[in-house]
Amino acid sequence: MYFVSDRGGWWNLFRWDGHNVEAVAPIAGECAAEPWELGYASYDFLDDGRIVVAVQEGPRHRLVVIDPRGSVCPVDLPYTSIKPYLAAQGTTVGLIGSSPTAAPQVALVHLADGNPRVEVLAKSEHAALSGAPVSTPTELRVQAAGGREVLALVYPPTGSTADWRAPVIVRAHPGPTASCLLRLDWQAQFFTSRGFAVVDVDYLGSTGYGRAFRESLYGRWGLDDVDDCTTVATHLLSAGRAIPGRIFVRGASAGGYTALHAVAQNGPFAAATAVSAIVDPDRWAETVPRFQRAHALRLRGGAGRVRAAAVQRPVLFIHGTADDVAVVEDVRVLAGQLAARDVPHQLLLLPDVGHYVATSAEAGTALEAELAHYRAVMTAAANDSHRC
């Protein structure tokens, strides 16, 4: 029996013969995706006895083939992101891959000999936009507390020069133990094409850096993730990339919780956008699907519930009324408390939309509202400076 375990510090492939467990091929990378959904397939078996595996290292994926002796052979592909849905037949594996300049493609990778061949079967509906200019992200590594590094993906404004300076949107990924992915992100392109830079932060707790890094967020959620986002934002300000008063933080689901706590303290962020935000970790531990609850329970004990009395910056809430994971009532209550304190905020409720706003028909409405939110904050700041 083959299975994935992180007993060695990384999610790696193991096998059990009925008596003993042995590692198939130790790899310093994650051979499995974050286990929040069922039905993932990050590895499969070829007919000649080899095993094909998608491996995540930081924000990048690669495909490897493991032979029966345990030797690992990387496969040269034009993709930096591979979805965890591999399907092998014969000596061919089907996958969904993308890169910073290529939207997701369904492809067959023929592995019969030493020269892998990629056959693209279908391209994303966004392929029609492939001729449009896009912002290509670069990796940024910033020193954080304790001497460790924080990795971020920086999308400069579309068409900008090497010395760009712009309003910046710092994004906290969901999970919270998900990760940034090096792939074509049309939401990022929406903002970069309108003069913003977008920065995705792989804060402490992210997947792709091993078990110890991921579990370091347990009991620290809302603290270390916020600190890492703040550290990246502060670096961009000191480097002259970000403009003071024009740096924002946003996140969805668990990332929304991070974003809310980021504006519940003094810091570089002028405003926040919280999409499908978790407000109360204790409540979330009860509403998540049952197989995720152990994970949710271990995350608690950090910053705790988001409290309106601490929020210091304007907030845009975007939430589906049918969200049964991050219940909408928590956001309604928080928004009402902010109103009582005269803290600038907006609450955009999307009727009959569940937890995944980005995949709903109203996703465009949400993006336009987010853009208007940032522009309104910048306009208000400019007017205040003129009055001074």
Side-chain angles (χ1 to χ4, degrees):
M1 180 180 73
Y2 287 80
F3 63 96
V4 172
S5 170
D6 65 355
R7 63 188 64 192
W10 300 88
W11 278 319
N12 274 193
L13 193 59
F14 290 78
R15 59 180 160 230
W16 178 59
D17 62 7
H19 303 282
N20 300 302
V21 172
E22 64 175 351
V24 174
I27 297 173
E30 309 289 14
C31 300
E34 311 91 330
W36 310 322
E37 297 179 16
L38 303 179
Y40 285 157
S42 296
Y43 65 94
D44 207 346
F45 302 89
L46 303 176
D47 283 357
D48 58 11
R50 294 179 295 167
I51 306 171
V52 62
V53 185
V55 182
Q56 181 181 357
E57 298 164 344
R60 298 171 180 268
H61 288 94
R62 62 189 178 105
L63 193 72
V64 303
V65 175
I66 304 172
D67 69 21
R69 299 184 304 276
S71 297
V72 178
C73 179
V75 180
D76 186 21
L77 295 178
Y79 308 122
T80 54
S81 178
I82 301 173
K83 288 187 175 292
Y85 302 111
L86 300 184
Q89 183 175 36
T91 55
T92 298
V93 60
L95 54 78
I96 302 172
S98 59
S99 77
T101 57
Q105 303 175 352
V106 179
L108 297 178
V109 182
H110 301 283
L111 299 165
D113 52 36
N115 297 302
R117 180 171 60 86
V118 178
E119 177 187 356
V120 177
L121 300 182
K123 297 183 179 181
S124 164
E125 62 186 73
H126 291 301
L129 301 176
S130 60
V134 297
S135 173
T136 303
T138 58
E139 292 187 12
L140 171 68
R141 297 177 185 273
V142 180
Q143 287 293 313
R148 59 182 178 81
E149 280 189 335
V150 180
L151 185 143
L153 296 179
V154 180
Y155 295 80
T158 305
S160 61
T161 60
D163 58 348
W164 61 268
R165 189 168 186 261
V168 171
I169 304 167
V170 173
R171 301 195 301 185
H173 59 67
T177 53
S179 61
C180 307
L181 294 176
L182 194 58
R183 63 186 180 186
L184 186 57
D185 184 325
W186 288 111
Q187 289 190 26
Q189 302 302 324
F190 175 87
F191 290 104
T192 60
S193 66
R194 289 159 175 81
F196 290 80
V198 174
V199 181
D200 290 336
V201 180
D202 261 352
Y203 52 76
L204 187 69
S206 301
T207 290
Y209 304 88
R211 175 179 178 172
F213 187 90
R214 187 175 66 253
E215 293 188 348
S216 292
L217 193 64
Y218 288 159
R220 300 286 301 170
W221 186 27
L223 301 173
D224 293 340
D225 47 327
V226 171
D227 286 348
D228 285 357
C229 290
T230 300
T231 294
V232 171
T234 302
H235 171 84
L236 292 169
L237 284 167
S238 64
R241 297 299 190 187
I243 302 171
R246 296 192 173 196
I247 187 163
F248 310 101
V249 61
R250 74 92 71 185
S253 187
Y257 176 81
T258 300
L260 289 171
H261 274 296
V263 292
Q265 60 183 38
N266 288 323
F269 300 112
T273 297
V275 183
S276 305
I278 295 164
V279 172
D280 184 352
D282 291 334
R283 166 106 75 151
W284 178 61
E286 298 172 353
T287 57
V288 293
R290 188 171 64 181
F291 69 91
Q292 297 180 8
R293 287 180 188 171
H295 165 70
L297 288 169
R298 294 184 72 183
L299 282 162
R300 298 182 310 168
R305 182 185 179 92
V306 178
R307 302 196 178 278
V311 175
Q312 304 178 33
R313 300 288 187 271
V315 177
L316 168 64
F317 298 98
I318 301 174
H319 219 96
T321 62
D323 192 337
D324 56 2
V325 175
V327 293
V328 69
E329 184 59 26
D330 282 352
V331 169
R332 282 195 175 110
V333 169
L334 182 58
Q337 292 169 341
L338 292 178
R341 294 183 52 235
D342 292 326
V343 176
H345 71 283
Q346 300 174 62
L347 175 58
L348 173 61
L349 295 178
L350 304 177
D352 303 319
V353 172
H355 193 56
Y356 297 99
V357 170
T359 58
S360 71
E362 290 80 4
T365 300
L367 282 175
E368 292 290 352
E370 186 175 348
L371 176 63
H373 173 54
Y374 302 141
R375 285 176 170 170
V377 171
M378 291 190 293
T379 298
N383 290 339
D384 288 344
S385 65
H386 289 154
R387 281 194 291 269
C388 293

